Amino acid sequence: MKIVTGILVAAAFLTLAACSPKQTATTNDTKPATTPTNTAAPAAPVEQKQEDTVTPIKKGETVTIQDFADITVTGNKISKKIEPSKPGDFHILYESKETDSTFFALVIKAKNLGTEEIKADKIAEVNLKFDNKYDYDTFSTIEERGGEDFIYTNTSVDPLKTGTLYYLSEIPSEVAKSDKPLKAEIKIQDKVYEYTIR
């Protein structure tokens, strides 16, 4: 009887010893495999979504926002002095008085596709980005009298009429002279477009 009991105890002990490492190994194997999968899975869609929100736009290309406006980037200027396209005898101009700065202007034509007038300063917001890390805000003005003068952008663009807007920023001369990337981010309603200057 003692021999049988001893054999059963020894068998039970060997079974526990044999099973125990397998369970531990299984637990340790599954834990690390689960952690990277969980952290890596959400990262890819987030990065993809951010890339999809910015749409490139080129000079002369028209973007249509239904029932709002046709937007066309007609060009840009970097100069100490920004004047309207056909300056009259008496006109407003923007001139940098600082020796180490100059003006940047992004020129946009906007046709109002809505049934009501749009305040010119509500058509778009423009932000200038230098070397993919320095940001410069802009303010806007609009041409009047066929390009002879500028007027404040609290004026309106009537339905089916086109306005020529200038988005201006006084920037360091270093930014103007550099060959590093310079881009304009144009936000129109909830869409963002990127115009590459260089």
Side-chain angles (χ1 to χ4, degrees):
M1 190 73 171
K2 284 183 181 180
I3 295 170
V4 174
T5 307
I7 292 171
L8 287 174
V9 170
F13 178 77
L14 288 172
T15 306
L16 284 172
C19 292
S20 196
K22 286 182 184 172
Q23 289 173 349
T24 307
T26 307
T27 308
N28 288 341
D29 287 347
T30 53
K31 209 169 189 179
T34 318
T35 308
T37 309
N38 289 343
T39 53
V46 170
E47 287 174 15
Q48 187 63 40
K49 189 176 180 182
Q50 286 173 347
E51 288 173 14
D52 292 344
T53 57
V54 178
T55 306
I57 185 172
K58 295 179 181 175
K59 180 179 176 180
E61 182 182 346
T62 300
V63 171
T64 300
I65 311 294
Q66 191 172 2
D67 298 325
F68 181 67
D70 277 340
I71 308 289
T72 308
V73 176
T74 60
N76 62 271
K77 299 176 183 179
I78 296 176
S79 176
K80 291 291 279 184
K81 188 167 40 175
I82 301 292
E83 296 183 281
S85 56
K86 299 172 187 172
D89 293 334
F90 300 99
H91 62 276
I92 296 170
L93 60 86
Y94 296 90
E95 187 171 15
S96 175
K97 303 291 186 186
E98 303 293 327
T99 55
D100 61 345
S101 69
T102 190
F103 264 105
F104 167 83
L106 183 73
V107 187
I108 289 177
K109 283 197 180 291
K111 180 179 179 180
N112 182 353
L113 300 179
T115 55
E116 296 179 6
E117 61 183 27
I118 304 174
K119 291 283 187 191
D121 60 353
K122 302 295 181 194
I123 290 173
E125 292 174 28
V126 176
N127 181 56
L128 198 59
K129 189 173 278 293
F130 170 63
D131 196 19
N132 298 314
K133 58 184 175 180
Y134 300 102
D135 289 317
Y136 297 93
D137 292 331
T138 67
F139 63 94
S140 57
T141 186
I142 188 169
E143 284 188 343
E144 69 166 354
R145 298 199 321 264
E148 289 187 11
D149 203 357
F150 288 129
I151 195 168
Y152 298 112
T153 50
N154 61 1
T155 56
S156 299
V157 179
D158 291 326
L160 301 181
K161 293 268 182 115
T162 301
T164 302
L165 293 105
Y166 285 62
Y167 291 87
L168 302 158
S169 182
E170 193 165 3
I171 58 174
S173 297
E174 179 184 343
V175 174
K177 294 173 183 174
S178 174
D179 59 355
K180 291 178 180 176
L182 186 61
K183 297 177 181 180
E185 287 183 350
I186 307 161
K187 186 176 181 184
I188 308 163
Q189 292 189 331
D190 59 345
K191 299 183 189 323
V192 180
Y193 299 90
E194 187 178 73
Y195 175 73
T196 301
I197 298 143
R198 64 171 183 246

